[in-house]
Every structure is written in C-alpha cells, then in structure tokens.
C-alpha cells in the first residue's frame, strides 16, 4: 500500500488538522508516561516549521460522548506539549464551531474528540464538520488506525486533501519491511495469555515466518498439544487441536513452532513463590508454568541472534515478577545483540523493552497496540486504507 505523505503537499499558511495519539496515562492529573507525546513531536515541529496553522486532535481515555468531562480534558496534555514545543498550546473546547489557528506557525489542541457524539460511530455529519476546518488532514496516529472513527477515517473522506504523517508512514514502512520483504530467517515471538485472542495472528504468521516462538499462556496450550502435562497452568483446552494443527502447518511449510525443552514452575503466582526448573515433560499436577527454562531461553536466544528479521509481540513469561523474568530478559538481550531488523509492539512488550533497557537497540518500536496486532493479522487498517483511496 502506497500513501501520500507530507513530502507531497505544501504546508505554508495551510489550515492543517492532524490526528495524533496523545492518549497518555494520567495519575492525579499528572502524565505518567509521555512517550506518545514525544513520538508526535517531530510531526508537529515539521508542520510548525513549514508555516502551517496546526490544529491537533486526539482522544484521551474513554469518556462518555456528548458532553465535557473535566477528568478526560486534554488540558494536562496541552501543558506538557507546550513545554516540549517551547510555546503555548491552548486547548480549544468548542473547536467544532469553526475556531482555527489565526496565524501561520501557530498551534492549538482540540479538546478530546470523544466528547463529540458520533466520534466512535464514524458519523458522517461530524466527519464533515471536522473536514470543513482544514485545507489538509494529516493522519499520524498509528495506534488508532485500526478504528474507523470520525477523527481517523471519516474526516479523511471529506477533507480537501489527506495524507499520512511521518509517524504513521514510519510505522507502515517498518511493518512492511518486517513482514512483506524481510531478511531471512524471519522469527516472530508471540506471547500472551490466550491462543483464542491471537489465533488469527498465529495463523497468518505460520505461513510467513521461518520460526514462530510462542510464550506465556499461549505456549502452555502448545505444550499440551505436543502431549505434555501442564499441571494447573493457564491453558485453553478448546484450542489444543488448533495449536496442534498450527504446528503441523508450520512444519509442512518448512518452518517450526518450537516447544520449550524446560520451564520454570511454581505452586502459585506470587512475588514470594518458589521458582523451580522442570523438564517440559516433568511438570507436576500441582505446578503451573510461569516462564521458559534456562535451556529453552538459551536456544531461543540463539535463534534470535541468527535471525535476519525479528517481530516481537508479547513476553514469554510473567516478567513483572523477577523469579519468572529470565526468559523474557534473555530474549530481549538476544534481540538487542542481533544484527537483525527488529520491530517490537504491544503494551507488555514495550514494558519489557523498557525494563531491560534495550530501547536503543531495537530497530523500530511500534506505538500501536491493537493496530500492530491487526497488521500482523493481515487485516486492512481503515484509517490507512482511506488515505490510499
């Protein structure tokens, strides 16, 4: 898919409406993690330097539509954004009434788009009101690209012109490089609690990758499918046959979904639980699997060091607890050491990347959660498709 970008348009004195993902976590009105703000800065600075009149849209939290909610106001975001841009960034509450930035090189932040009735329903009338405010719409929020909503999709249909922002374009380029034209071998790591929530991703990747490493509760279902006991581990019995068929499919395609040689187990999931190493065929009925074992971690790490491309979505153990974090730590280190092109996405994955300090050694860190997964699933992202059209 080829989309037009800021390189293809003029910005000087244009009314530019840009959709960013500034949905930052807040605690007592303070921003806890400002990574999404910092990710948007290069786009906003480019628009300002180009002489555009910049109107920024974003959602924040999940407020009820149809009215103002001070708890979900963009005011804290505007304050911090102003500090980062070294200029005042006003929040405009009634922006849909036609208020725009009066001068070239100016900026304003529109109040939470989800206050507007019809936003999440992709309402046409609301989309047209947004589009009427601008000469150019810039879609730069990859994290919301899988949602067909007024501020991500509808506005692009009716705006005089619409292009992808630098952040969105970079995401598409990185994901395309990883999945459509990868250097081989291509290794994917998919973790999570349930096969059912990622079965489409697993099915798609089985056809594409050379090795598919599964972790977390997903791995337990595959271990059971290989004929091993899993004690009282989290497992989806209804998906054991699915796991078995995916392993067969991978082998038939010349790939592999490896099963752990050894695992880390405990009698309970807690900070004080005693962690023990077990061969994968020696898990007791009273034990639960909470991480891969040292032999498995070493074997997986070696595969990653030899990879040409790595796609990482999900830890392989309960990495938040140190006793069950060695597997994920080993994989993070191996990816960081590898010469492979690597892309990491998903909330838990990014938390692991931050915990082990490998941010600067991952080739690309995706800002999308649901959008990242849906891209891996091979689905069309509505807010990208509308730009293509």
């Amino acid at each position: 898919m080829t989309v037009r970008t800021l390189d293809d348009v003029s910005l000087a004195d244009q009314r530019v409406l840009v959709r960013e993902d500034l949905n930052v976590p807040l605690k007592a009105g303070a921003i806890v993690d400002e990574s999404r703000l910092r990710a948007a800065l290069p786009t906003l600075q480019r628009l300002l330097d180009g002489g555009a009149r910049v109107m920024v849209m974003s959602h924040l939290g999940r407020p009820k539509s149809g009215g103002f909610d001070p708890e979900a106001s963009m005011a804290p975001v505007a304050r911090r954004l102003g500090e980062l841009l070294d200029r005042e960034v006003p929040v405009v509450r009634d922006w849909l009434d036609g208020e725009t930035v009066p001068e070239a090189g100016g900026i304003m932040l529109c109040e939470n788009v989800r206050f507007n009735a019809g936003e999440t329903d992709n309402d046409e009338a609301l989309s047209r009101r947004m589009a009427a405010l601008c000469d150019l719409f810039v879609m730069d929020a990859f994290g919301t690209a899988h949602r067909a909503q007024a501020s991500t999709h509808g506005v692009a249909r009716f705006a005089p012109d619409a292009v992808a922002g630098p952040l969105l374009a970079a995401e598409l380029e990185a994901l395309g490089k990883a999945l459509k034209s990868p250097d081989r071998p291509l290794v994917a790591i998919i973790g999570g609690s349930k096969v059912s929530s990622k079965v489409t991703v697993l099915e798609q990747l089985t056809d594409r990758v050379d090795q598919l490493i599964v972790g977390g509760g997903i791995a337990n279902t595959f271990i059971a499918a290989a004929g091993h006991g899993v004690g009282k581990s989290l497992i989806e019995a209804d998906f054991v046959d699915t796991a078995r068929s995916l392993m067969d499919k991978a082998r038939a395609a010349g790939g592999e979904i490896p099963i752990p040689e050894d695992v880390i187990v405990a009698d309970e999931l807690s900070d004080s639980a005693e962690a023990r190493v077990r061969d994968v065929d020696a898990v007791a009925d009273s034990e639960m699997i909470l991480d891969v074992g040292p032999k498995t971690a070493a074997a997986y790490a070696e595969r990653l060091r030899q990879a040409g491309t790595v796609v990482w979505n999900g830890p392989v153990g309960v990495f938040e607890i140190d006793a069950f974090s060695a597997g994920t730590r080993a994989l993070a280190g191996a990816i960081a050491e590898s010469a492979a092109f690597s892309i990491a996405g998903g909330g838990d994955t990014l938390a692991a990347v931050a915990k082990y300090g490998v941010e600067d050694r991952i080739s690309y860190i995706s800002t999308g959660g649901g959008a990242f997964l849906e891209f891996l699933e091979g689905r069309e992202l509505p807010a990208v498709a509308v730009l293509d059209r």
Side-chain angles (χ1 to χ4, degrees), residues 13 64 75 90 116 120 133 147 183-184 200 292 302 306 310 355:
D13 206 33
K64 291 182 179 179
N116 302 307
T120 57
L133 298 173
R147 300 187 181 118
D183 292 331
R184 300 282 179 173
T200 307
V292 297
E302 185 58 30
Q306 296 177 6
V310 176
K355 180 175 181 176

Side-chain angles (χ1 to χ4, degrees), residues 20-27 29-42 44 58 60 75-86 167 350 354 359 365 367:
E20 294 288 356
D21 182 5
L22 307 181
N23 183 30
V24 295
L26 297 172
K27 186 173 182 180
I31 297 173
V32 177
D33 179 357
E34 59 184 37
S35 56
R36 286 177 175 166
L37 263 66
R38 292 185 176 276
L41 286 179
L44 300 181
S58 179
L60 183 64
V77 175
R79 284 194 295 271
R80 183 56 182 147
L81 196 58
E83 292 170 355
L84 293 170
L85 290 171
D86 194 25
L167 186 57
L350 301 192
E359 298 99 322
I365 295 178
T367 59

Side-chain angles (χ1 to χ4, degrees), residues 14-321:
Q14 296 293 293
R15 297 175 303 156
V16 176
L17 184 62
V18 56
R19 178 58 157 98
E20 294 288 356
D21 182 5
L22 307 181
N23 183 30
V24 295
L26 297 172
K27 186 173 182 180
I31 297 173
V32 177
D33 179 357
E34 59 184 37
S35 56
R36 286 177 175 166
L37 263 66
R38 292 185 176 276
L41 286 179
T43 298
L44 300 181
Q45 194 63 60
R46 178 171 174 179
L47 293 173
L48 294 169
D49 291 345
R53 292 188 277 162
V54 184
M55 298 165 282
V56 186
M57 293 189 296
S58 179
H59 71 288
L60 183 64
R62 297 180 178 178
K64 291 182 179 179
S65 66
F68 177 76
D69 177 0
E71 295 297 318
S73 171
M74 301 297 298
V77 175
R79 284 194 295 271
R80 183 56 182 147
L81 196 58
E83 292 170 355
L84 293 170
L85 290 171
D86 194 25
R87 65 175 68 204
E88 183 181 358
V89 180
V91 181
V92 178
R93 184 165 168 179
D94 299 319
W95 57 281
L96 280 171
D97 292 338
E99 185 165 351
T100 60
V101 177
E103 58 190 20
I107 186 172
M108 75 181 203
L109 180 59
C110 304
E111 189 54 279
N112 196 329
V113 293
R114 291 195 179 167
F115 290 166
N116 302 307
E119 159 63 13
T120 57
D121 298 326
N122 202 19
D123 178 74
E124 180 174 328
L126 177 60
S127 299
R128 287 184 179 274
R129 289 182 70 188
M130 292 176 176
L133 298 173
C134 68
D135 303 306
L136 173 68
F137 171 66
V138 178
M139 177 57 187
D140 201 40
F142 178 75
T144 63
H146 60 307
R147 300 187 181 118
Q149 299 181 344
S151 68
T152 63
H153 178 273
V155 61
R157 293 175 57 207
F158 304 113
D161 199 0
V163 299
L167 186 57
L168 176 62
E171 292 270 4
L172 296 175
E173 181 181 359
L175 284 164
K177 181 177 180 179
L179 294 176
K180 295 179 180 178
S181 55
D183 292 331
R184 300 282 179 173
L186 169 57
V187 181
I189 306 165
I190 301 295
S193 59
K194 296 180 179 180
V195 173
S196 57
S197 65
K198 295 188 176 178
V199 65
T200 307
V201 174
L202 295 169
E203 289 172 344
Q204 287 290 326
L205 291 179
T206 299
D207 289 330
R208 297 183 179 187
V209 305
D210 300 296
Q211 305 230 328
L212 176 57
I213 295 172
V214 291
I218 292 175
N220 297 338
T221 303
F222 279 81
I223 291 170
H228 304 297
V230 294
K232 58 180 184 180
S233 306
L234 176 66
I235 185 176
E236 289 183 289
D238 293 343
F239 282 84
V240 169
D241 287 342
T242 300
R244 189 177 295 116
S245 68
L246 286 171
M247 288 190 287
D248 292 341
K249 182 181 178 183
R251 281 192 291 269
E256 183 185 10
I257 303 178
I259 298 300
E261 299 175 59
D262 57 350
V263 292
I264 303 297
V265 303
D267 296 328
E268 63 179 8
L269 175 57
S270 71
D271 293 332
S272 59
E274 178 192 356
R276 299 180 292 273
V277 179
R278 292 277 188 263
D279 287 340
V280 72
D281 59 358
V283 178
D285 291 343
S286 62
E287 296 174 329
M288 57 177 62
I289 300 170
L290 300 171
D291 193 10
V292 297
K295 289 188 292 186
T296 301
Y300 287 176
E302 185 58 30
R303 293 171 191 241
L304 292 168
R305 291 189 189 96
Q306 296 177 6
T309 305
V310 176
V311 177
W312 183 16
N313 179 257
V316 294
V318 186
F319 77 99
E320 298 89 346
I321 298 176

Side-chain angles (χ1 to χ4, degrees), residues 305 328-338 356 358 361:
R305 291 189 189 96
T328 302
R329 183 172 64 248
L331 266 60
I335 295 170
E337 294 168 8
S338 173
Y356 302 121
V358 295
R361 290 181 287 167

